[in-house]
Amino acid sequence: MRGILENPDKEITLFINSNGGDTYASMAVVSAIKMHKMVDTVCLGFAASAATLVLAFGRDRFIVQDGHVQLHQMRFGTEDSTAEEAAEGTKRSVSLGDWTNRAMVSATKLALSQVKAGERITRWFTAKQAIACGLVDGIYTEKRWRAGCKQGK
């Protein structure tokens, strides 16, 4: 994220191969991408969960031909929690889930009902399916990669 914020006039390509992670961390990355406005995202293999959210917010969003993207219901742990902590965690999870759903709708061609369908079952997308539903804009080709290398992106 440092490179995104320290180079406001430089085009940046963010390569993603991740099974996701912390939702709050992904919110910070999305905020940085939105502020910078010149960050392209590329799914090199697999983007799931929070990584899918980051992928969707790139200026230009790509996926390799054999890449996959996953959407699923947000999960949170309540192990070793008191009943009150678990209840608070549930409230936060619902609120955060609403934010991520709205964010995904704003960044893609997906309808809210399609995003929420991922809350019931985990949804997997091939590269072509990810393009069709607006998670990404196109296939990341070797030609595009070589052009980016020459430009220092």
Side-chain angles (χ1 to χ4, degrees), residues 108-111 114 123 125 128-136:
T108 67
K109 297 176 191 169
L110 290 169
Q114 292 173 295
R123 296 183 60 203
F125 299 87
K128 287 182 180 180
Q129 290 168 329
I131 293 167
C133 72
L135 285 169
V136 294

Side-chain angles (χ1 to χ4, degrees), residues 91-102:
K91 281 195 321 192
R92 286 181 181 266
S93 181
V94 169
S95 174
L96 198 53
D98 289 344
W99 181 89
T100 57
N101 288 347
R102 288 190 313 276

Side-chain angles (χ1 to χ4, degrees), residues 2-120:
R2 216 171 137 189
I4 293 173
L5 297 175
E6 290 178 351
N7 299 295
D9 298 324
K10 183 176 181 186
E11 291 187 4
I12 295 173
T13 301
L14 179 61
F15 294 96
I16 300 168
N17 183 35
S18 173
N19 60 351
D22 185 82
T23 304
Y24 290 108
S26 71
M27 289 170 70
V29 175
V30 166
S31 293
I33 289 171
K34 288 165 63 176
M35 284 188 282
H36 189 284
K37 295 185 173 75
M38 295 188 338
V39 179
D40 296 340
T41 53
V42 179
C43 174
L44 279 182
F46 178 60
S49 193
T52 301
L53 187 65
V54 171
L55 174 67
F57 270 88
R59 174 186 60 178
D60 292 324
R61 307 155 310 161
F62 297 99
I63 188 169
V64 294
Q65 183 68 44
D66 296 326
H68 289 83
V69 179
Q70 178 198 60
L71 288 176
H72 67 81
Q73 181 179 22
M74 186 182 343
R75 294 170 173 88
F76 68 99
T78 57
E79 302 162 4
D80 301 323
S81 297
T82 66
E84 290 172 3
E85 291 169 334
E88 178 63 25
T90 300
K91 281 195 321 192
R92 286 181 181 266
S93 181
V94 169
S95 174
L96 198 53
D98 289 344
W99 181 89
T100 57
N101 288 347
R102 288 190 313 276
M104 191 62 75
V105 168
S106 75
T108 67
K109 297 176 191 169
L110 290 169
L112 183 58
S113 61
Q114 292 173 295
V115 173
K116 285 187 171 191
E119 293 179 349
R120 291 188 298 281

